[in-house]
Amino acid sequence: MRSMNKKALIAATAVLAAAGAGAAGVAVMKKNKFCPKCYVKRKIDNYKARREPPAERYNNGAGLTPIMGWSSWNAFREKIDENTIREIAAAMCDAGLVDAGYVYLNLDDCWHSSMRDAGGRLQGDLTNFPSGIPQLVKDVNAMGMKLGLYSSNGTLTCEDLPASLGHEAIDAQTLAEWGVEFFKYDFCHNVPLPTIAPEIEKITVGKAGSGDVRTFYAKDAGLGGMARIMPDEKLPSGEYITGLNADGGFAEFTNVEVPEEGDYILTIGLKKSGEKDKYLEILVNGQETYQTTVPGTKTWSATGRHQVAIRLGQGVNTIRLYNPIANRIDSAAKQYTNMGLELKKATARVAAERGVPEKPIVFSICEWGFRKPWLWGPKAGNMWRTTGDICATWESILAIYERTVRLNQYAGPGGFNDPDMLEVGNGKLTYDENRAHFTLWCMMAAPLVLGNDIRKLRGPDGKIDREDKILKIITNRDMIAVDQDPLGIQCVRVRSNGLTDVLVKPLAGDAVAVCFFNKTGKPKTMSESIRKIASPMQVRLPESSYYQVYDLWDKTVSTIGGTLTAEVPAHGVRAFRISKLGGA
């Protein structure tokens, strides 16, 4: 790579900065006989390769269509208790919301105590939820609903209560044992994984309680990428391995021979190098990966040690050491993937122990979209937030829509973009804005999680007001069917001029949903040709001279030839289901 243009140089600088390699870092690379430009090129190539959604998806058997339910946060924030939740559940049943598909009842932040129990487990708030969460799960299940809970991928939740970073296994096990079926995992108080790897003089392998160990030095390792052996006269062996930082290289010991299969202690002999924490992954025989964070060190002495329990097979084993964390995106992806794996293991384990069918937990990644979760979320969970929190304003809804509508390629059965909970019925949204909000979320194959106080659907007599406009919006079964279509395809924006959008969503049965969206404050007449509507590759609309058009809100049926035209209200939508004339 002889030269870089301005754009590539800017990208290179960003990559080096993300890897912790500023001017001082470049100097160190040169000293260690690294090629800074080669390093940057490799990082840029890796970055480009990560732009596509992962081929492997989470596949836990849950969330094959976007979830539908209710969450406590928008209406109640931190002020939740058992009685309120039970009243909401009863109102959802009475209002027909459960029958319409809203079966997840999700408790957001503040459902739990600030104290873990004696076994280190999360527990419900000891006064606000006196019956305990397991009993609440049973009662909610008996009403035809599923209970969801919340934690954060940090040391504390957003409201500063116990969170799950470092407690992934025990918290996943607790949720599975309780029968929880939805888990929202926030991003407050997050501690990123270090991009720095330790510098390694040697490794030793031996059984715990035994003085019989085998030692392997830097010279015994095969090196890849930017990994190098450097001299240091302060070390007993006189050399060490460096260059494992930020997905830059690896050291592999291929001749680790042990007499029998079992648990062993891997001791990593460190060259002490600074007070920052460091991260390392250990891949054994290309199958089992162990993750460990090496605390920062004081350099009173030149060497240190760090131990990890690993499992080895009888005979010769291969141990690879590396740090795959190149940036904050990698860190978040790794941490969320860890929790997702623990949830799957826990539900499978509980089902096997109890001899009952597995209850998979829908895993909701709430990283706020800062670290591009749509790139890694399909492998890590069932849904991933694309933005920060929604507000009950038109401006918030529009901004979140604009961010999410562009991410259609990442959604599919079992994994969906999440533009956050619905604000239908909250704030000062007009009727047309509420209807547009709901329609856009359905077109984007988004989770339909209500955030309003369902109890307000009751009239003065305590009975559900069946004429309530909000209730009619959220129980529009034709729009719900668009959201829940088994193809699981998010809409494509086939036309936009900044003021109006045309959205197309392929449906099962060779049909298509079309939405005309008017963002302006004045009514608009909108038109689109059938040819354009059928242009996305996933649309399977058969060729015909005429098509049947079903208005998903007005419930009228009409026939068109080559063009669809409609009057669209300000801040409003018109939505249709189009199929071949005489089709389903």
Side-chain angles (χ1 to χ4, degrees):
M1 196 166 96
R2 294 183 179 179
S3 64
M4 288 192 245
N5 60 30
K6 184 176 180 181
K7 186 175 181 180
L9 184 60
I10 292 172
T13 303
V15 170
L16 287 170
V26 172
V28 170
M29 283 194 281
K30 289 181 177 178
K31 177 182 176 182
N32 291 354
K33 300 179 181 180
F34 292 173
C35 166
K37 289 185 178 180
C38 297
Y39 177 85
V40 170
K41 183 178 185 302
R42 184 170 183 271
K43 289 297 178 184
I44 291 175
D45 289 343
N46 285 348
Y47 175 78
K48 290 178 179 177
R50 294 176 185 179
R51 304 307 294 169
E52 297 298 322
E56 179 186 350
R57 296 182 76 88
Y58 189 53
N59 293 332
N60 65 337
L64 298 180
T65 58
I67 72 156
M68 297 175 61
W70 177 89
S71 176
S72 61
W73 186 254
N74 286 358
F76 299 105
R77 300 184 72 84
E78 77 280 11
K79 298 178 176 65
I80 57 172
D81 55 50
E82 184 175 316
N83 288 336
T84 301
I85 298 303
R86 292 184 184 278
E87 289 172 0
I88 292 291
M92 290 182 71
C93 290
D94 293 347
L97 292 170
V98 176
D99 290 339
Y102 295 94
V103 296
Y104 287 89
L105 185 67
N106 302 332
L107 279 59
D108 210 282
D109 207 345
C110 299
W111 64 269
H112 56 314
S113 171
S114 63
M115 302 183 295
R116 288 179 177 264
D117 70 13
R121 293 172 176 258
L122 295 172
Q123 56 184 340
D125 186 286
L126 299 174
T127 53
N128 289 338
F129 289 87
S131 300
I133 301 302
Q135 185 59 50
L136 185 59
V137 170
K138 292 178 182 177
D139 295 343
V140 166
N141 288 170
M143 301 171 74
M145 305 179 72
K146 304 177 180 183
L147 193 82
L149 293 180
Y150 162 102
S151 186
S152 183
N153 186 4
T155 55
L156 296 169
T157 69
C158 296
E159 292 295 322
D160 309 313
L161 293 169
S164 299
L165 188 62
H167 302 272
E168 291 88 352
I170 192 170
D171 288 355
Q173 183 69 20
T174 301
L175 296 173
E177 290 179 357
W178 287 350
V180 169
E181 296 178 76
F182 174 88
F183 182 55
K184 176 181 173 182
Y185 205 33
D186 220 329
F187 202 57
C188 287
H189 294 283
N190 178 260
V191 180
L193 293 171
T195 60
I196 304 171
E199 295 179 318
I200 300 168
E201 182 200 11
K202 64 183 179 180
I203 65 170
T204 66
V205 175
K207 283 274 191 181
S210 169
D212 182 19
V213 299
R214 294 201 63 192
T215 303
F216 304 87
Y217 292 96
K219 64 182 180 181
D220 299 318
L223 305 180
M226 298 294 175
R228 298 288 186 275
I229 294 178
M230 296 297 294
D232 190 329
E233 61 184 14
K234 295 180 181 179
L235 302 178
S237 67
E239 58 188 12
Y240 65 95
I241 299 170
T242 189
L244 307 186
N245 293 350
D247 198 25
F250 65 86
E252 188 169 78
F253 298 87
T254 59
N255 58 341
V256 181
E257 187 172 1
V258 295
E260 61 182 5
E261 180 182 0
D263 297 326
Y264 288 81
I265 300 300
L266 171 69
T267 301
I268 302 168
L270 306 172
K271 173 190 178 296
K272 289 188 176 180
S273 56
E275 298 185 14
K276 290 185 177 180
D277 289 353
K278 301 164 183 67
Y279 180 75
L280 195 66
E281 292 196 4
I282 303 135
L283 178 64
V284 177
N285 297 324
Q287 298 177 335
E288 187 72 19
T289 301
Y290 302 85
Q291 303 171 25
T292 188
T293 298
V294 180
T297 58
K298 298 289 186 181
T299 53
W300 306 120
S301 55
T303 62
R305 63 184 183 275
H306 185 78
Q307 294 186 323
V308 181
I310 63 174
R311 189 164 186 85
L312 299 176
Q314 182 180 14
V316 177
N317 295 264
T318 297
I319 297 177
R320 174 177 288 205
L321 307 175
Y322 59 100
N323 180 351
I325 308 301
N327 49 49
R328 295 293 177 90
I329 293 177
D330 290 343
S331 173
K334 177 67 67 173
Q335 292 172 334
Y336 276 99
T337 298
N338 288 345
M339 176 52 92
L341 291 173
E342 292 297 340
L343 291 171
K344 288 203 288 188
K345 288 191 291 187
T347 56
R349 186 164 49 241
V350 168
E353 291 172 353
R354 297 178 178 177
V356 297
E358 184 175 355
K359 291 176 73 173
I361 297 173
V362 171
F363 183 32
S364 173
I365 296 167
C366 185
E367 183 277 331
W368 316 328
F370 293 165
R371 290 157 186 83
K372 297 179 172 60
W374 46 88
L375 297 178
W376 45 267
K379 184 178 179 179
N382 298 108
M383 49 193 279
W384 44 90
R385 277 277 293 279
T386 56
T387 67
D389 289 356
I390 195 170
C391 298
T393 66
W394 181 247
E395 292 75 18
S396 174
I397 291 165
L398 187 57
I400 288 176
Y401 157 79
E402 291 289 354
R403 177 69 171 270
T404 308
V405 73
R406 306 172 187 183
L407 304 175
N408 57 288
Q409 64 174 309
Y410 303 105
F416 297 94
N417 294 308
D418 176 16
D420 204 5
M421 297 169 282
L422 291 163
E423 290 282 14
V424 177
N426 290 336
K428 297 180 180 179
L429 297 172
T430 67
Y431 173 76
D432 284 326
E433 289 171 346
N434 276 311
R435 198 166 80 160
H437 176 21
F438 188 76
T439 302
L440 295 173
W441 264 231
C442 290
M443 291 295 294
M444 292 190 294
L448 301 180
V449 180
L450 304 171
N452 55 320
D453 186 347
I454 305 299
R455 300 173 302 179
K456 292 182 179 180
L457 297 175
R458 297 189 187 278
D461 60 356
K463 296 181 179 180
I464 297 295
D465 179 4
R466 302 293 171 184
E467 298 304 313
D468 185 276
K469 291 184 178 180
I470 297 303
L471 180 59
K472 287 188 173 183
I473 289 175
I474 60 181
T475 55
N476 182 336
R477 295 191 180 236
D478 290 318
M479 282 310 318
I480 290 173
V482 169
D483 179 79
Q484 296 291 298
D485 185 81
L487 295 182
I489 298 174
Q490 179 174 320
C491 66
V492 177
R493 181 160 56 180
V494 298
R495 191 181 301 277
S496 178
N497 61 11
L499 303 178
T500 60
D501 287 355
V502 178
L503 308 176
V504 171
K505 185 180 190 298
L507 302 176
D510 293 337
V512 63
V514 179
C515 174
F516 288 166
F517 177 29
N518 177 13
K519 307 173 192 178
T520 75
K522 295 181 179 180
K524 294 280 186 182
T525 300
M526 295 181 62
S527 297
E528 191 56 82
S529 69
I530 290 295
R531 176 173 294 183
K532 188 71 173 180
I533 288 168
S535 63
M537 291 182 61
Q538 293 168 307
V539 172
R540 296 291 182 264
L541 191 62
E543 289 189 14
S544 178
S545 299
Y546 296 96
Y547 294 88
Q548 178 177 286
V549 178
Y550 177 64
D551 190 309
L552 296 169
W553 284 104
D554 295 346
K555 312 305 181 185
T556 58
V557 178
S558 59
T559 300
I560 63 170
T563 302
L564 177 66
T565 301
E567 296 294 323
V568 188
H571 292 184
V573 295
R574 292 289 300 276
F576 310 92
R577 184 182 189 275
I578 300 178
S579 58
K580 183 178 179 182
L581 191 62

